[in-house]
Amino acid sequence: QFSKSSDHTINYLLCQNEATLLYMANLGCIEINPWNSRIGHLENPDYAIIDLDPSDTNTFEEVITVAQVVKQILDQAGIEGFCKTSGSSGIHIYIPLAAQYTYAEARNFTKLLCMFVEEQLPDLTSMTRAVKARKGKIYLDYLQNRKGQTLAAAYCVRPRSGATVSAPLEWHEVKPGLKIGDFTLKTMPSRLQEKGDLFAGIHGAGIDMAAAIERLEK
């Protein structure tokens, strides 16, 4: 795949089974960062993502506040979103698309949702990409919805102190008191056993963008 940013062709590894995943781990691939689309439909993402990316001055409590507003907007739009910690400092919110839309459509739709969020939280959020221009606000990153753009996968370990994991959440858990450090390489096996795969739904039935926009306009 040709990369515009690096101006050369990159050969990406396809991980289709457990054996390949173990091979990657053996290479030292601690953090797994997949594309949003699969080999059968590279131009059509399986999901859209809203990346809540805090500045150095933001608290995780503030990130939680923004995530709660995103949830309210998704509810208004009739969308079931799926939420996870980044395993670092932010929160990722996924919207299933079932490969029905292009990357451009996914990006424009997610941008619209972020505009609604920024309208409700103008003093806390920003859609400005330049870090200095954000003035210490939480970045509503809709540009993750581009071909070849990647984020840490659900359940992957981050190369950080404590071996934190990007952990899928139930929405009722997204409230003050939630801590990224509670989800680690040691704690996730028992959580998975208790709750199952909370992220399985991102590959389910996709949303109807037109219907969602109509609901939001009301």
Side-chain angles (χ1 to χ4, degrees):
Q1 178 70 32
F2 182 76
S3 169
K4 290 182 181 179
S5 59
S6 56
D7 195 32
H8 71 275
T9 298
I10 299 174
N11 292 320
Y12 290 91
L13 179 65
L14 290 178
C15 183
Q16 309 286 67
N17 50 42
E18 184 179 355
T20 308
L21 189 61
L22 290 170
Y23 172 75
M24 292 167 67
N26 194 47
L27 290 176
C29 301
I30 296 173
E31 189 174 301
I32 309 297
N33 290 264
W35 281 25
N36 299 357
S37 54
R38 287 177 283 178
I39 191 68
H41 45 77
L42 286 178
E43 305 299 327
N44 300 87
D46 288 303
Y47 41 74
I49 302 170
I50 298 175
D51 178 9
L52 306 183
D53 185 11
S55 302
D56 292 339
T57 56
N58 295 122
T59 65
F60 191 57
E61 299 288 312
E62 289 175 327
V63 178
I64 290 168
T65 297
V66 178
Q68 290 172 333
V69 170
V70 174
K71 177 63 164 66
Q72 292 171 13
I73 291 166
L74 293 180
D75 286 346
Q76 291 169 20
I79 294 172
E80 182 182 10
F82 296 82
C83 181
K84 69 181 179 68
T85 68
S86 68
S88 178
S89 59
I91 284 178
H92 301 154
I93 298 162
Y94 284 54
I95 299 167
L97 299 180
Q100 299 176 89
Y101 301 97
T102 65
Y103 272 98
E105 288 169 328
R107 185 168 62 253
N108 291 336
F109 179 73
T110 311
K111 181 179 180 180
L112 176 66
L113 295 177
C114 289
M115 289 170 67
F116 277 93
V117 177
E118 187 179 34
E119 186 178 19
Q120 289 199 34
L121 297 171
D123 297 329
L124 186 56
T125 63
S126 173
M127 292 172 65
T128 303
R129 190 161 181 80
V131 176
K132 288 184 179 179
R134 291 180 213 160
K135 299 178 180 178
K137 297 180 181 180
I138 294 169
Y139 180 39
L140 303 171
D141 190 356
Y142 62 91
L143 294 174
Q144 293 291 351
N145 300 286
R146 294 180 292 179
K147 185 180 177 182
Q149 198 75 17
T150 64
L151 273 182
Y155 303 109
C156 91
V157 182
R158 305 300 301 272
R160 291 169 53 91
S161 176
T164 50
V165 171
S166 183
L169 304 167
E170 295 175 316
W171 276 108
H172 69 82
E173 296 178 296
V174 184
K175 61 184 180 182
L178 178 72
K179 292 181 174 60
I180 284 178
D182 289 341
F183 309 100
T184 69
L185 186 64
K186 290 184 178 180
T187 65
M188 283 306 292
S190 59
R191 179 175 169 85
L192 268 167
Q193 190 171 20
E194 176 191 349
K195 296 187 177 294
D197 182 5
L198 297 177
F199 240 49
I202 66 168
H203 292 297
I207 66 165
D208 182 332
M209 282 188 189
I213 291 170
E214 188 176 336
R215 294 187 194 100
L216 286 169
E217 288 175 343
K218 292 178 180 178

